[in-house]
Amino acid sequence: MGSLVPLGGDLPVESRALAEALRGLFDGLGLSVRRYATRRHRDPGSVSRFLNGTRVPPWEFVNDLIGDVTEQHGQPPTQEAMDLLRRLYRAALAESGSAFSRVQLLEDQLADADRRSVESTAVVRALERALADAQHRAADLELQIRQLHGRQQGRIAEKDKALRLYEDQVTALLRERQSLLREVEALGEQLLDAHNRRAQAERRCEELERQLVVAEELWAEESGPGERDADHANGEAGAPGLSARGAGPSGSDDVRTGGGPDPRYALDTFEAGEANRFALSAAVAVAEAPARLYNPLFVYGTSAIGKTHLLHAIGQRTRALHPDKRVRYVGAEDFGNEFARAGGERGLDRFRRRYRDVDVLLIDDIQFLADHERLREEFLHTFDALHGAQKQIVLSSDRPPKQLTHLGDRLRNRLESGLITHVQPPDRPARVALLRRQVERDRLTASPEVLEYIASQVQRNVRELEGALIRVTAFASLNRQQADVELAETVLKDLVPDRVPTRQEDVARLIIAETAEYFGVTSDDVCGKERGRAIVTARQIAMYLCRELTDLSTPRIAAVFGGRERETVEHADRKIRNLVAERRSIYNQMTELTLRVKAAGGLGSGS
């Protein structure tokens, strides 16, 4: 008792298969039959018969054995192994023919019957619920049908009413149409009459225009030089005269609008010095003998060194020496704007007469001539017409013709066909003379030593030179001090540091960043389109500092500030320059911002 024997061949197949499966599970426990029987409180002989296949064990024994194996190995048998074990167990029971087997079978059948009964009950209940839902939906549909029927009857009534209303409106419209047809017939007769009168008026206008042209030509031949000068100074139909754009009194390129020549812009007041003596000589030669020596005369140089002054001076000297000469000054941008406003053929004819019926044409800042094919062609034809008629042409630019690539090869070749002269920053004696003239003109108080010191410190351009003098005298006036060299050293140390023209756009961006931080805004705000008061103030001050602390030209500064117009930069410079001279707070802000830029590395000796 209590031992395992080999499974004999005389055992039923089902019993032997079940016994093999149970023995396999039992072997995994590593126990003897007696020890396992003791653990489970069973008879060792019964356990042996279960494992030897001579008796079919109860399912309780099988469950206990499976639980022990699971506890021993830490994981239960797979679902496939359990299903196989159940099938073997049922087959062994069925083969044994014992009453227990029959009872087990009946229990299984009863369990299956119970399951089918439960399922049938669930199906019946689901069908009952579905039937109830169907009845509810049927009731809802009947209600909706009644409602739809009612609405349909209402719509039919509304349509009948609307149809009657439309019929009445159509009848009224037909009557109105008949009335309008009669009015149209009457208006057609009036229109035909008006068309005939318009044609007569156009023919009369053309005749009057021809008479006007003839009258202008007769007036030009019969009127005196003084009347012709006044006409060209005031311009035709509001066109700019000689001084439509001017420079500052000491030769800067600031633009000024005026009616006639400004006596401050004369060749005698142009401080040439040794560096610009050739440019001044060429200007004098052109003014004394237009179109005989240098035609065209092309003057170029950096911003604020006197190019515009020189062009105005040529025009004034020409008028003084040749009263019969017709002189016209215009900026390249104004030339382009007038061409854009000319419109149709009549406007173009007046535009062409305005610029081709002159003896001396002075065009300033030719680099701003728009990159527009029709405008370039018009300017090219104007150039050829004047040059072919032996008329003087004088042009200015911030760079030589070879670098004006946007004007095209044909126009650049014509610009290079005459005399090209370079206007350079004034030398020290010229700078001192310019400062002395500014002191006399503006009635400022500054000793010769102060003028010498400013001229030695500021060397780039005339605008910066004038600004330095204004700052020194303004500081002295605001603080009620004497404008001496010591005070000039203090002011110019902060606001006019030494610099070379490299890395200038980076310095401009640094100025923008420092100004934005000072006013509590962002650099994007300063360069953007916002119009808040604090942003506009920061933007104008940053533009002023860029003009004062860098060598960037006005257009390049405008480009750094989001592609603005050059006039915006010039307006900001004029406004802040005046405020610096009038308000101590603005002066202090400029000083502090300049020190911040220097501290940030934007204006060191290597910048």
Side-chain angles (χ1 to χ4, degrees):
M1 300 297 288
S3 62
L4 297 179
V5 296
L7 297 175
D10 54 344
L11 291 174
V13 176
E14 294 79 1
S15 297
R16 186 169 55 252
L18 176 62
E20 288 177 351
L22 295 178
R23 286 164 73 111
L25 290 174
F26 184 81
D27 290 341
L29 295 176
L31 298 175
S32 65
V33 173
R34 188 174 300 277
R35 292 181 62 187
Y36 182 73
T38 303
R39 174 191 290 182
R40 283 296 179 182
H41 306 289
R42 290 184 178 275
D43 179 49
S46 298
V47 173
S48 296
R49 286 192 290 274
F50 295 157
L51 298 178
N52 291 334
T54 58
R55 183 179 176 185
V56 178
W59 185 251
E60 179 186 0
F61 174 80
V62 178
N63 269 335
D64 291 342
L65 183 58
I66 292 172
D68 293 335
V69 172
T70 300
E71 183 180 352
Q72 181 74 19
H73 294 284
Q75 60 181 6
T78 63
Q79 187 63 39
E80 291 81 1
M82 291 294 297
D83 292 340
L84 176 61
L85 193 59
R86 287 191 182 92
R87 287 197 300 272
L88 294 177
Y89 181 75
R90 290 179 180 273
L93 275 179
E95 180 63 25
S96 67
S98 63
F100 178 75
S101 172
R102 288 194 298 273
V103 170
Q104 187 71 37
L105 242 113
L106 289 174
E107 288 178 352
D108 291 342
Q109 292 173 1
L110 181 59
D112 291 339
D114 289 340
R115 283 195 298 274
R116 286 195 294 272
S117 176
V118 171
E119 292 174 356
S120 300
T121 303
V123 171
V124 170
R125 290 179 180 174
L127 290 175
E128 290 175 350
R129 287 194 296 271
L131 179 59
D133 292 341
Q135 290 174 348
H136 290 312
R137 287 198 297 272
D140 292 340
L141 288 174
E142 289 179 358
L143 178 61
Q144 293 175 8
I145 288 173
R146 288 195 296 270
Q147 292 175 349
L148 289 173
H149 183 70
R151 284 197 292 270
Q152 185 177 10
Q153 294 296 329
R155 289 196 198 97
I156 292 173
E158 291 176 358
K159 287 181 180 178
D160 291 340
K161 182 179 178 180
L163 182 60
R164 287 193 298 272
L165 179 61
Y166 290 155
E167 288 175 351
D168 296 339
Q169 292 178 352
V170 168
T171 302
L173 288 174
L174 288 174
R175 289 195 297 268
E176 186 177 355
R177 177 177 178 274
Q178 294 297 328
S179 176
L180 290 174
L181 285 175
R182 288 191 294 271
E183 293 180 4
V184 167
E185 291 176 358
L187 289 174
E189 296 176 358
Q190 297 177 9
L191 181 61
L192 180 61
D193 183 56
H195 180 72
N196 294 332
R197 291 198 301 270
R198 178 177 178 275
Q200 294 175 1
E202 286 182 350
R203 290 193 293 271
R204 179 60 178 164
C205 286
E206 292 176 357
E207 180 64 25
L208 289 175
E209 187 170 337
R210 286 194 293 270
Q211 293 176 8
L212 179 61
V213 172
V214 173
E216 287 179 349
E217 294 176 353
L218 291 175
W219 176 85
E221 295 175 358
E222 295 175 0
S223 62
E227 294 178 353
R228 284 197 296 271
D229 288 346
D231 174 68
H232 284 282
N234 294 327
E236 298 179 10
L242 174 62
S243 297
R245 295 177 71 245
S250 57
S252 67
D253 283 340
D254 289 337
V255 181
R256 186 185 63 82
T257 301
D262 191 327
R264 295 179 300 175
Y265 303 115
L267 290 173
D268 295 338
T269 61
F270 182 81
E271 296 295 340
E274 292 298 329
N276 293 319
R277 198 167 300 282
F278 176 73
L280 179 61
S281 300
V284 172
V286 167
E288 292 178 348
R292 294 184 184 178
L293 296 175
Y294 312 122
N295 192 26
L297 173 63
F298 190 95
V299 180
Y300 76 93
T302 58
S303 176
I305 57 174
K307 302 187 299 297
T308 303
H309 186 144
L310 205 57
L311 261 66
H312 277 282
I314 291 173
Q316 292 166 16
R317 178 65 67 87
T318 301
R319 285 190 170 186
L321 298 178
H322 307 281
D324 58 326
K325 297 290 185 182
R326 293 168 294 181
V327 180
R328 182 171 298 280
Y329 168 92
V330 68
E333 286 184 309
D334 297 331
F335 182 86
N337 293 334
E338 288 186 47
F339 175 76
R341 292 193 298 266
E345 288 299 324
R346 295 180 184 177
L348 286 176
D349 289 341
R350 288 193 292 270
F351 175 81
R352 288 163 181 161
R353 288 199 302 271
R354 184 179 301 133
Y355 289 104
R356 299 184 188 182
D357 296 343
V358 297
D359 298 295
V360 178
L361 179 61
L362 308 158
I363 299 184
D364 202 3
D365 291 330
I366 193 67
Q367 74 273 10
F368 295 127
L369 192 67
D371 188 7
H372 189 279
E373 184 65 27
R374 285 191 58 200
L375 177 60
R376 288 204 307 269
E377 288 294 327
E378 184 63 35
F379 180 75
L380 186 65
H381 295 322
T382 299
F383 185 99
D384 291 342
L386 292 174
H387 197 270
Q390 298 296 310
K391 308 297 184 181
Q392 180 66 51
I393 303 172
V394 182
L395 308 106
S396 76
S397 173
D398 63 351
R399 50 191 181 275
K402 286 186 178 298
Q403 298 181 13
L404 301 174
T405 55
H406 69 284
L407 298 182
D409 293 338
R410 290 192 299 164
L411 184 53
R412 286 193 295 114
N413 291 336
R414 286 165 172 76
L415 300 181
E416 294 174 343
S417 63
L419 177 64
I420 301 175
T421 179
H422 185 193
V423 178
Q424 303 180 36
D427 54 20
R428 181 167 179 170
R431 295 197 297 275
V432 173
L434 286 170
L435 292 173
R436 189 179 298 113
R437 182 176 293 113
Q438 183 181 0
V439 169
E440 295 172 356
R441 184 188 72 238
D442 298 338
R443 298 179 181 180
L444 303 175
T445 302
S447 64
E449 293 78 10
V450 172
L451 301 184
E452 288 285 348
Y453 178 77
I454 294 175
S456 67
Q457 295 297 310
V458 184
Q459 305 174 11
R460 293 294 174 189
N461 57 55
V462 177
R463 183 186 297 115
E464 186 177 333
L465 191 69
E466 293 178 344
L469 177 60
I470 290 174
R471 285 191 295 275
V472 171
T473 55
F475 185 90
S477 176
L478 292 171
N479 291 276
R480 298 181 181 180
Q481 298 180 12
Q482 183 179 359
D484 52 17
V485 175
E486 183 178 358
L487 182 141
E489 289 177 353
T490 302
V491 174
L492 298 186
K493 177 182 179 182
D494 293 336
L495 297 181
V496 191
D498 294 335
R499 61 186 185 275
V500 294
T502 60
R503 227 170 33 90
Q504 297 299 296
E505 290 189 1
D506 292 338
V507 176
R509 293 188 181 92
L510 178 60
I511 291 172
I512 292 172
E514 292 296 332
T515 306
E517 182 180 357
Y518 183 84
F519 284 93
V521 296
T522 65
S523 298
D524 292 339
D525 292 335
V526 175
C527 297
K529 299 184 181 297
E530 294 294 329
R531 301 290 300 170
R533 182 175 180 180
I535 294 176
V536 171
T537 301
R539 184 181 299 142
Q540 291 178 342
I541 288 177
M543 289 179 177
Y544 168 80
L545 290 176
C546 287
R547 295 259 292 196
E548 291 297 311
L549 305 180
T550 73
D551 291 315
L552 292 175
S553 64
T554 301
R556 289 180 65 189
I557 294 175
V560 171
F561 280 82
R564 282 179 160 75
E565 299 293 335
R566 64 195 300 264
E567 288 80 4
T568 304
V569 179
E570 292 169 349
H571 168 73
D573 178 67
R574 289 193 298 271
K575 178 180 177 181
I576 302 302
R577 187 183 299 273
N578 293 333
L579 291 176
V580 167
E582 296 172 1
R583 299 183 186 178
R584 177 65 176 270
S585 60
I586 301 296
Y587 182 90
N588 292 338
Q589 286 179 348
M590 296 302 101
T591 303
E592 183 176 353
L593 282 171
T594 303
L595 292 174
R596 287 191 177 195
V597 173
K598 289 179 62 178
L603 295 173
S605 60
S607 63

